[in-house]
Amino acid sequence: MDMQSFFTSLLNVVCEMAPYLLLGFLIAGVLHVFVPQKFYAYYLSRKNRLSVLWAALLGVPLPLCSCGVIPTAIGLRNEKASKGAIASFLIATPQTGIDSILATFSLMGLGFAIIRPVAALITGVCGGLLVNRLVREDDYCSVDDNSQLSTVNSQLKIWRVVKYAYYDMIRDIGLRLLIGLVVAALIQVAVPDEFFLSFGSQPLLQMLVILAIAVPMYICSTGSIPVAAALMMKGLSPGAALVMLMAGPAVNLASILVVHKAMGRRFTWIYLMTIVGFAVLFGLLLNATEQLSIVNYQLPISNACCMSASALPSPFKLVCATVLTLLIVFALMMKLFSKFTTKKPLDPDVTVYRVEDMHCSHCEAAVVRAVEDLPGVEKAKASASANTLTIKGPATEESIRKAVEGVGYTFKGRSSENR
């Protein structure tokens, strides 16, 4: 393998995506800080078809991954949202987000940037309607959530936007995004040109192969973009690339198990089959429209060239790529250091519990929200990297267990740090 070609390809794909990612992260931070979760619960609590549509519309721009969306959906359930609305939100939200829409446009062009959120919207609505019709509504045990966003000054809100956009989000997806970029560069250099044309007469086989790889794994909605673009340059059909962009981020083995535990078997089957079925359907429609010359979904020439050309990108893109790289390195180093920092002796009223299945800052926030209003909890802090929940106060272990398991996480009792 030509290492110079590899690093040139990696540099160019990072430079192409960086400006759009930085902008997308910023918009995601604004949505996170200025649009409280109660806003979504208000529109999804009505048990009708309109709530299913609202769930998909509200979920498409949100930058939530398939693990982060689950505690949010369980929170909506506790707000008495309908099962159809929850299914719609679970299906539509992780497929795309404002950051991945902009990043899709940067590498794959306007066609994919439009079809991706449209497909997520339609898939979410159809899945929600199916759940409303086929799954019986249960009487939910509502968890009181009296927490309110405190009134803070504008400067603090701006800091929260910046922290969420350029630290929390990058800490959550930075490693997967980096893996996606490296894999894309490796595919560009190591895979023979037009490799996937061997499946040329069987586009459905391409899609099934992609599904077999993508569904069990966790694939970030943003990190999947450079991989899909690189595979298209090697002959993968646009429809199969869309299958990867839809099914990969929307579902993985861990999310299937949690959804099954929280929502039931029938709900889980409808949720899974809707994602897989509509991914294949939209993939076939995409290939058909291209074959009929209705729309051209091939990569823009300038973007395809940027992944292999030897010429340096523009200074602006180089600056953006440098900033993004530094942010990723900083966030990942802080995440790594948090695992190895020296543990201070615990205060007598502090207890550390082990909680598994947390993967991102959204998971941490969901666990903290679940326990912070319990009697005896003075302060709570969750760490996804260490799989711990630290509680200050005399709250009982059983009450902590019920709250944690109520939002879909695995409670393992007291950590060894208490001994």
Side-chain angles (χ1 to χ4, degrees), residues 28 31 56-63 96-99 101:
L31 289 174
L57 286 172
L58 294 171
V60 163
L62 288 182
T96 186
I98 191 67
D99 56 320
I101 292 172

Side-chain angles (χ1 to χ4, degrees), residues 328-380:
I328 291 175
V329 170
F330 174 76
L332 293 182
M333 287 180 64
M334 293 297 293
K335 186 175 182 178
L336 180 64
F337 288 161
S338 67
K339 293 185 177 182
F340 299 103
T341 50
T342 303
K343 304 297 182 183
K344 297 180 180 179
L346 296 177
D347 294 334
D349 61 343
V350 173
T351 307
V352 180
Y353 299 100
R354 184 165 182 81
V355 177
E356 296 183 352
D357 301 324
M358 293 188 294
H359 301 288
C360 64
S361 60
H362 297 288
C363 299
E364 294 172 349
V367 171
V368 170
R369 281 197 304 267
V371 302
E372 62 185 353
D373 291 329
L374 293 175
V377 175
E378 299 173 15
K379 187 177 180 181

